[in-house]
Every structure is written in C-alpha cells, then in structure tokens.
Amino acid sequence: MAVADNNRTDSIYGLATPLGRSAISVIRVSGASLPVGFMSSLSLSNRPNTRFVKTIKFKELSDQCLILYFKSPNSYTGENIVEIHCHGNPVIVTEIFEWLEGFGIREAEPGEFSKRAYLNERITLDQAEAISFGIEAGSLKDLASMDAFRSGKLAKKIEKILKACEGMLIVLESQLDFSEEEDVDEVKKEEIIIGLRKISTDLNEILKNYRPITKKQLKPKIVLAGKPNVGKSTLFNYLVGDNVAIVSDEPGTTRDVVRGDLYLDGVEVEIGDTAGIRKTPSEVERAGIEKTTSAVEEANVVIWVSDLSDLEVSRPRCEIWVGNKLDKTNKTSSFICDLLISAKTGEGVDLLINEVKKRVKIDDSYHLVSERIYKKVSNSAEIIAQSLGGDDFYEKAAQDLRDVLVLIKDIYGDFSNEKILDEIFQNFCIGK
Ligand code: GDP
C-alpha cells in the first residue's frame, strides 16, 4: 500500500505500542492543525507543550489517560502531536480509535509519522531508515552492527565525501573555463587524479566495512519441510515449547504454514511448520503444498525432515537434513542424514539447535546499513573508478562528480521522488 501524500493535511492516529494487553498503550495523533473538537475535548487549545492526567469519556466507556501535547514544530513529525497513554487493553484502544475517527482523524498508514517527520525536515532519509531497522532488529548483535548507521557515524563519513566531491567540482569547473593554458592543465590534472583517488578510497572503505541489510536478514526464517507424517509438527512443537501445530497419524493435516518465534542465543528467529510434500488429489492440501514451496524459497535455513524408516533418495534444497524417529530404529545402523533426532523424546534436538545457531549467526565484523544507501555508495565507487582514465579527462571527471553528487545527496533525501519515498516508508510499522 502506498503512503498517500495528497492528504498530508489530514490528522492521523496510530498505535505506538503493540496491540495487546499491557500496563499502558500509547496512541499518537498528529496533524498540522488538529480538529478543534478534539483539542477542546482534551482542553488543549490554550495549553501548548503540556502533560496531565484526565479521565476521558470516549464513545461507550471512559478511561483515565495521561495526555502529552507537543506543539508544532517541536515534535517527532514537526506537526502538533498529542499522545494518549491509556490502559493497555485492546477494547479501550479500539474505543479510542472510533472516538478519534469521530473527529475526522484517520488511521495512519505504515511509516506515515516518519514520512511526515522527513517531509517537515525533522529527520533525514538515512535517519528514517535507521529508525525503521532499529525497530526490526531481532538481536543485540544486529543493533550493535547498526550502531554506526543509527548514530550518524556513517552520515559523517558520507558528508566528508560529499564535501570533497563538491570541492573538486569547483576546481574542475574553473579549470574547464581556463583549459587553453596547457601547462596549468598538467598540474591540475595530477591534483584531480589524487583527489579522485582519495574519494575512491573513502567510498571503498565504506563498502569494505558495511554490509547491506534487508528486513529478512534481521529475523532469520527457519522452515521445516518434508513428506507428510515424518514428524515436522512434533519437532516444531518441541522447538517452540508449545502445542501449536497439530500432530496426527493422518497424513496431510498441516495446510497453512504454522509460525512461531524462537530465541537462539539472543537471536530472534522465526520457525515455520509446513504442509508435507506429496502428490495429492485434495485441492486444499495442494494449496498448502504451494505455500510450503514459497516458504522454502524465502527461508534462510531449510530443515528437511525424514522418517528414518523411509529415507528419500532425493530432496529439494535444504541446509540441514534430519532423520527423525530415532527412538523407533536400531541405533547401531548407519544413516546418511546430517543429524539423527527423535522429535518425540527430544534426543539429538540440541545438536540440531546448535547447527541452526551456526547458520543464523550474525557476522558482526561488519556494520550494517540499508540496501538503498549501500547501492548508492557502490554506484558512486564504480563511477569514480571509471573516471580515473580515458579521454576528455576534465569534462568526464566533472560529469562523473556531478553524477556522484546526485547519488550521495539522495542518501539524505535531497529529492522528491514520491515512488522511492513510498518504498522506504511503507516498510515501516503503523504508528511509526
Ligand atoms: P508431520 O505430518 O510431518 O507434521 O508429522 P507429525 O508431527 O504430525 O507426526 C506424525 C506421526 O509421527 C505422529 O503420530 C507422531 O506422534 C509421530 N512422531 C513424530 N515424531 C516422532 C518420533 O520422533 N518418534 C516416534 N516414535 N514417533 C514420532
């Protein structure tokens, strides 16, 4: 869904905390000018930047809420923001949503608060991305690897390159104006080559130390796949420590991908139990098998589960091949799987977890940065690398520097390309 921009004058609301039961829930309301009825019902009209506790009568019920009011421009979005801290109950939250809609305030789209913050120049695009990835990070290591990105250290390095490019472009442009004087050219040419080399080194330094992140990488996906009845659901329940997936002797019981979360040494991973792969006349089961195929394609690690009494000759792509139902077999036999387990008794499952941990381990020798920024830096490095030789040296170097400047300025959002902005902000959660 694209972030609508033509109605930027609308007032919007969004839940800033997860929907569920908790001590409090925070609902954020933002608007360049918030509806008069809303402002007066909270007695906010003449009280800029205030906070107070108030029992508010919503539609059907009332709740004692903490109200915070941040008057424009001193707020996250740069607009007027009211935060309603109510009791953390989905019924109360829904009631407040309806109450807000009664004033003509609509629900925000994903990332709309941050998009407004960007458009009102409260944050830059790279800061917006750092906020989004910071929320998604599933481990301390991810957050630590993102530190340079989130703290603005990377922005400083890029700023330095930007200044160097601008400085060189000025020299080059003045050089082009006086290009008839041959001996002056020679001196300047050397200087320019040195300058371009320095920019190239700085860009490559970033490429060497940073890696692009995608949201997929922040929460690795593990998928259990295999034929029906091999024990995938039993293993899934054992791993998530709950009876989530149906275990049955009847083949073909799992239809949808059942998902659960696991924490492996502080790394949050998502594990999925899938429909067993087999030829079947059932249309519903076939639809389930299609979902298995796409879950396998998306997964970071596929665990193929086999019944040790019926090992397959060939399997689709998998990272770990486990033979299950070890408790039912003669343990002295030798098997060709990577690991032998019993999902029923838990035997061997520790070894499987260790194998998974190794595969989802984050390489923390790199800093992380968004794919968008990484691409702009690598494209810039390519342009500069090609600029170091060739004919029409001055003209080419000047044009290349102009192109690099466009790319680098885009990192901060020095453009108004609506499509790119939508792509960035629609990946945010609602309320951010
Ligand atoms: P799925 O279709 O691959 O998800 O398989 P299920 O988890 O539903 O299991 C199919 C049948 O195999 C059930 O009766 C399970 O109790 C049984 N089963 C699963 N794992 C084991 C195991 O390690 N040992 C034994 N003996 N039975 C198992």
Side-chain angles (χ1 to χ4, degrees):
M1 194 179 6
V3 178
D5 191 43
N6 46 8
N7 45 9
R8 238 180 92 201
T9 49
D10 286 1
S11 292
I12 53 171
Y13 72 81
L15 187 63
T17 46
L19 183 63
R21 290 173 202 280
S22 52
I24 56 164
S25 288
V26 178
I27 298 160
R28 242 185 336 185
V29 181
S30 180
S33 74
L34 292 167
V36 179
F38 169 73
M39 293 297 276
S40 62
S41 71
L42 294 180
S43 328
L44 284 172
S45 305
N46 297 313
R47 299 165 78 175
N49 303 320
T50 183
R51 61 172 196 269
F52 56 90
V53 175
K54 186 177 167 82
T55 301
I56 306 170
K57 172 95 185 72
F58 301 109
K59 282 187 74 193
E60 300 289 324
L61 46 88
S62 55
D63 189 39
Q64 200 178 40
C65 301
L66 170 68
I67 306 293
L68 306 183
Y69 177 33
F70 304 89
K71 192 163 166 43
S72 165
N74 299 317
S75 72
Y76 178 62
T77 55
E79 301 176 336
N80 294 304
I81 284 193
V82 174
E83 276 186 19
I84 303 170
H85 297 219
C86 61
H87 286 99
N89 179 315
V91 179
I92 300 176
V93 168
T94 314
E95 173 82 6
I96 298 178
F97 286 177
E98 279 184 32
W99 179 71
L100 292 170
E101 279 171 17
F103 294 110
I105 304 171
R106 68 165 167 86
E107 187 174 17
E109 298 193 32
E112 202 170 357
F113 285 89
S114 298
K115 188 180 180 186
R116 287 183 178 200
Y118 163 70
L119 292 170
N120 291 326
E121 295 179 12
R122 299 292 292 172
I123 52 171
T124 55
L125 266 193
D126 60 330
Q127 281 173 323
E129 283 171 313
I131 291 167
S132 165
F133 284 116
I135 296 170
E136 295 290 323
S139 75
L140 200 60
K141 277 187 177 170
D142 275 342
L143 280 171
S145 315
M146 244 183 263
D147 223 31
F149 179 23
R150 299 187 324 141
S151 66
K153 271 189 213 153
L154 176 64
K156 282 204 187 93
K157 290 183 190 171
I158 291 174
E159 186 80 34
K160 206 180 111 199
I161 296 172
L162 186 122
K163 289 272 170 316
C165 290
E166 279 174 343
M168 285 209 35
L169 192 58
I170 294 170
V171 174
L172 266 168
E173 275 170 349
S174 61
Q175 178 65 32
L176 286 169
D177 291 342
F178 302 104
S179 56
E180 311 83 56
E181 295 173 44
E182 285 292 319
D183 45 339
V184 179
D185 278 0
E186 286 312 307
V187 181
K188 295 278 188 192
K189 194 167 182 172
E190 270 307 296
E191 254 177 52
I192 287 158
I193 289 175
I194 291 168
L196 287 174
R197 284 220 177 99
K198 174 82 183 82
I199 292 169
S200 173
T201 311
D202 289 348
L203 287 166
N204 283 308
E205 191 67 19
I206 295 177
L207 295 176
K208 204 174 82 198
N209 295 317
Y210 286 79
R211 283 287 170 271
I213 15 164
T214 56
K215 292 205 172 179
K216 186 180 159 189
Q217 279 165 280
L218 292 178
K219 191 174 177 185
K221 286 192 168 86
I222 319 290
V223 154
L224 301 176
K227 289 204 287 196
N229 255 353
V230 293
K232 297 180 296 300
S233 300
T234 311
L235 178 59
F236 175 86
N237 288 341
Y238 189 93
L239 290 169
V240 299
D242 209 347
N243 247 347
V244 184
I246 300 169
V247 172
S248 158
D249 276 337
E250 194 183 311
T253 38
T254 308
R255 302 283 170 89
D256 278 314
V257 179
V258 183
R259 298 179 201 275
D261 288 335
L262 276 183
Y263 287 89
L264 304 175
D265 285 347
V267 179
E268 189 185 15
V269 301
E270 184 191 279
I271 180 149
D273 179 23
T274 61
I277 299 172
R278 64 166 178 174
K279 286 206 160 58
T280 170
S282 157
E283 210 171 295
V284 183
E285 199 183 337
R286 277 207 305 274
I289 295 171
E290 260 172 46
K291 286 192 179 182
T292 302
T293 314
S294 40
V296 164
E297 272 167 19
E298 277 176 24
N300 303 62
V301 180
V302 177
I303 302 174
W304 183 268
V305 187
S306 300
D307 185 327
L308 282 171
S309 66
D310 178 25
L311 288 180
E312 299 88 346
V313 185
S314 67
R315 291 154 279 109
R317 169 212 144 190
C318 82
E319 275 70 35
I320 309 170
W321 182 20
V322 297
N324 186 32
K325 308 196 186 179
L326 184 60
D327 57 301
K328 270 189 9 189
T329 59
N330 174 0
K331 291 189 186 163
T332 54
S333 339
S334 62
F335 295 103
I336 50 166
C337 318
D338 299 326
L339 285 168
L340 305 179
I341 64 157
S342 166
K344 201 169 194 170
T345 66
E347 191 181 353
V349 177
D350 280 358
L351 294 175
L352 172 62
I353 292 175
N354 280 342
E355 249 342 279
V356 174
K357 275 188 203 165
K358 272 191 231 158
R359 285 160 208 272
V360 297
K361 200 168 174 282
I362 293 140
D363 183 354
D364 54 357
S365 54
Y366 296 113
H367 296 299
L368 294 174
V369 68
S370 76
E371 263 185 314
R372 186 185 68 86
I373 296 181
Y374 191 85
K375 265 193 205 144
K376 299 215 180 285
V377 176
S378 63
N379 289 349
S380 303
E382 270 169 39
I383 293 174
I384 297 289
Q386 282 164 15
S387 199
L388 284 163
D391 305 331
D392 291 339
F393 178 79
Y394 295 106
E395 284 82 359
K396 186 164 185 326
Q399 189 51 49
D400 288 345
L401 281 170
R402 275 183 221 112
D403 292 346
V404 166
L405 276 169
V406 170
L407 284 169
I408 290 186
K409 282 182 179 171
D410 275 0
I411 293 175
Y412 302 101
D414 189 20
F415 64 96
S416 54
N417 186 330
E418 195 60 29
K419 202 166 144 262
I420 295 175
L421 287 187
D422 282 352
E423 272 169 25
I424 293 170
F425 287 103
Q426 73 197 1
N427 283 322
F428 278 59
C429 44
I430 292 182
K432 193 64 215 178

